[in-house]
Amino acid sequence: MSKFLSALTAAKARGTNIVIPDIKCISPKEGDLLHGRDPIAVAMSLADAGAPVLSVVTEPKNFGGSEALLSSVAKTTGLPILRKDFFTTAEEIHRSKEIGASAILLMYSCLPKEKLAELYQAARAIDLDVLVETHTPEDIAHARTLGVRLMGINNRDITVLERDNGDVSRTKALAGQKPADVFLISESSLMTPDDVRIAIGAGADAALIGTAIWQAADPAKFYRLLTQPIEVKLCGMTDEAGVTLCAHSGAEIIGFVVDYPEPVPWDIPQEKAAELIAHLRQENPAVKSCVVTGGSADKISALAATVRPDIIQIHHRENLTDTLTIAARLHEQGIKVIRSLPAGSEKRQAQYGIADLRELAHRLAAGLNDDGCGIDYLLMDAREPGNASAKALAAPMEEFLRLREVSPIPVILAGGITPDSVQKLLRESKADRIDIMSGIETGPGIKSPELVRNLFKAIYSK
């Protein structure tokens, strides 16, 4: 096993999701990515943030790369480097090793199968790792015949220089076809930590990401978010101090209780929420905002238009039809939707007319017109309208486990999560999304720096 693949294999044992940053200067679709930044300095910051390896695009015409860029990145960071370019000759392969590459990329989309096999053997003969990039089942089948150890699935079409739109569905469709002894990398169209989790959940071992990292205000800080296997939502913000603290904590979603239909100590008016969400976006644009509320479709739609959060969590007594009507209107506004579910079949029957978790989850996911445009996430929460102000609620573990097993959409766990309990709850639930409010507070809405720090230390410690 050569240097590049060895570093990836070692990283996989450390527990975070593996993300390979792609050092490139230009995106054919998005244009200039540097915006005046020094790519060497950014590469160094990504190495300091924990990147086990780096990828460097050396193609000059469309991506603004160069051999000199790769050499400088390799020398400065000391990390194994994947050279990305459009190779056609063995001489280019040998040159790659001379300038400091530990691995090269060969793409079925750009090479005849016989030529790719020839270049693959030339690279392996000089101990270069080879990332063999596939895009179809036929590509994967041929890669098997070469005995590749490092395989990529490009979610987009490199033949149009990735100007097409894409998502991780290509990885989801093809990942199950890779041989057991192959290290699989999902490439292109990964923009968020959730994209990384979806790709890895589908069977990828790592993700290679360029444009999203370069579009971030702070690439190193965004890189750390990308590698987190647990999505953390911190809720109940009431002031700028709490927003600032939590925006830089490692949380991916910051929640605000706004115009809640019943009295709760975390509730803030729309104007205050709009100010705090604007402050959040200034503090850390990579973190999403979520408004927790309830009521009619007209009320929630108007609130969304005023506050403009990324997500709205419907968390009151709305029935099935009202919930799906609200979701449809919010989707029209470009807002994702979380729907809380009460623990207890009698409560679900009374609210939704459906007690069974499988049936309810599928109905909520299906949408108002059975078009698959329903709720985006479900939340199994101990907190509900009847105990909205209560403290020290226990996580509804048994029903969460059942819901996660049967739900076609992601499920979030909430209730009783504290720095002291989080490791145990994560072990028992294997949750990849959690929601915490009072567990990091010294009082309603007062977030504790010590508790927040201890929470993330507990989440990500072995």
Side-chain angles (χ1 to χ4, degrees), residues 327-446:
R329 292 179 63 171
L330 291 176
H331 286 153
E332 289 175 357
Q333 297 173 316
I335 296 171
K336 290 188 177 293
V337 182
I338 299 171
R339 171 73 254 192
S340 66
L341 297 184
S345 59
E346 292 182 0
K347 292 178 181 178
R348 292 192 294 274
Q349 181 67 41
Q351 182 170 347
Y352 299 106
I354 301 172
D356 180 71
L357 284 172
R358 178 191 290 274
E359 182 182 352
L360 180 56
H362 280 262
R363 189 67 196 88
L364 286 167
L368 194 62
N369 301 309
D370 294 328
D371 55 5
C373 296
I375 301 303
D376 299 288
Y377 304 90
L378 294 173
L379 173 71
M380 181 53 71
D381 194 358
R383 193 179 303 278
E384 56 190 74
N387 63 5
S389 298
K391 297 180 181 180
L393 297 168
M397 186 64 67
E398 186 174 326
E399 293 203 89
F400 169 81
L401 289 170
R402 171 62 179 158
L403 178 61
R404 195 186 63 172
E405 178 186 354
V406 301
S407 175
I409 54 178
V411 181
I412 306 165
L413 175 65
I417 305 176
T418 69
D420 292 333
S421 69
V422 68
Q423 282 193 340
K424 181 175 183 292
L425 287 172
L426 288 174
R427 281 196 303 271
E428 292 175 354
S429 68
K430 294 183 170 55
D432 55 9
R433 293 169 174 82
I434 57 175
D435 185 347
I436 304 149
M437 186 161 67
S438 59
I440 53 168
E441 294 182 338
T442 56
I446 305 172

Side-chain angles (χ1 to χ4, degrees), residues 120-192:
Y120 177 86
Q121 297 302 336
R124 294 302 299 130
I126 58 172
D127 202 32
L128 279 179
D129 282 317
V130 183
L131 174 58
V132 175
E133 180 179 289
T134 66
H135 191 65
T136 67
E138 292 74 23
D139 294 342
I140 294 175
H142 189 266
R144 285 173 179 264
T145 68
L146 298 178
V148 302
R149 297 294 307 281
L150 190 58
M151 184 185 296
I153 294 174
N154 197 325
N155 297 300
R156 291 161 69 182
D157 186 356
I158 191 62
T159 62
V160 293
L161 297 178
E162 298 181 352
R163 290 187 175 93
D164 59 320
N165 294 319
D167 54 33
V168 294
S169 59
R170 179 74 60 162
T171 294
K172 290 170 68 177
L174 298 181
Q177 300 179 29
K178 67 120 179 172
D181 60 348
V182 165
F183 193 99
L184 180 65
I185 300 172
S186 180
E187 307 171 59
S188 295
S189 298
L190 296 104
M191 302 300 293
T192 68

Side-chain angles (χ1 to χ4, degrees), residues 12-25:
K12 188 174 180 180
R14 293 197 285 269
T16 58
N17 287 342
I18 303 172
V19 174
I20 303 168
D22 197 24
I23 308 301
K24 60 181 178 181
C25 304

Side-chain angles (χ1 to χ4, degrees), residues 119-353:
L119 296 179
Y120 177 86
Q121 297 302 336
R124 294 302 299 130
I126 58 172
D127 202 32
L128 279 179
D129 282 317
V130 183
L131 174 58
V132 175
E133 180 179 289
T134 66
H135 191 65
T136 67
E138 292 74 23
D139 294 342
I140 294 175
H142 189 266
R144 285 173 179 264
T145 68
L146 298 178
V148 302
R149 297 294 307 281
L150 190 58
M151 184 185 296
I153 294 174
N154 197 325
N155 297 300
R156 291 161 69 182
D157 186 356
I158 191 62
T159 62
V160 293
L161 297 178
E162 298 181 352
R163 290 187 175 93
D164 59 320
N165 294 319
D167 54 33
V168 294
S169 59
R170 179 74 60 162
T171 294
K172 290 170 68 177
L174 298 181
Q177 300 179 29
K178 67 120 179 172
D181 60 348
V182 165
F183 193 99
L184 180 65
I185 300 172
S186 180
E187 307 171 59
S188 295
S189 298
L190 296 104
M191 302 300 293
T192 68
D194 212 34
D195 289 337
V196 176
R197 282 189 286 267
I198 291 170
I200 290 176
D205 297 292
L208 192 152
I209 301 178
T211 299
I213 290 174
W214 288 98
Q215 289 177 331
D218 186 329
K221 185 175 291 183
F222 183 61
Y223 175 82
R224 292 188 184 97
L225 277 181
L226 289 170
T227 65
Q228 294 182 2
I230 308 296
E231 180 183 74
V232 179
K233 174 174 174 278
L234 300 180
C235 199
M237 305 297 148
T238 58
D239 55 33
E240 285 193 358
V243 171
T244 299
L245 167 67
C246 294
H248 300 288
S249 65
E252 289 179 44
I253 303 173
I254 300 296
F256 307 83
V257 181
V258 183
D259 285 359
Y260 195 69
E262 300 186 29
V264 292
W266 301 273
D267 195 34
I268 58 175
Q270 293 184 29
E271 296 77 11
K272 181 67 172 178
E275 292 174 5
L276 292 179
I277 288 173
H279 180 67
L280 170 62
R281 288 173 177 152
Q282 184 176 20
E283 284 289 321
N284 192 347
V287 176
K288 292 170 283 191
S289 58
C290 177
V291 162
V292 181
T293 192
S296 69
D298 286 343
K299 176 212 165 182
I300 293 177
S301 183
L303 186 158
T306 299
V307 179
R308 298 304 305 166
D310 300 298
I311 305 166
I312 281 188
Q313 179 175 315
I314 310 171
H315 202 120
H316 200 240
R317 294 186 173 90
E318 301 79 15
N319 63 27
L320 181 63
T321 300
D322 289 344
T323 293
L324 294 177
T325 301
I326 293 166
R329 292 179 63 171
L330 291 176
H331 286 153
E332 289 175 357
Q333 297 173 316
I335 296 171
K336 290 188 177 293
V337 182
I338 299 171
R339 171 73 254 192
S340 66
L341 297 184
S345 59
E346 292 182 0
K347 292 178 181 178
R348 292 192 294 274
Q349 181 67 41
Q351 182 170 347
Y352 299 106

Side-chain angles (χ1 to χ4, degrees), residues 32-71:
D32 174 41
L33 296 176
L34 296 184
H35 300 295
R37 293 173 294 192
D38 177 5
I40 310 301
V42 174
M44 192 66 209
S45 73
L46 293 167
D48 291 342
V53 298
L54 295 171
S55 165
V56 176
V57 183
T58 57
E59 193 279 333
K61 182 180 178 181
N62 296 292
F63 294 91
S66 68
E67 291 184 353
L69 174 62
L70 187 148
S71 292

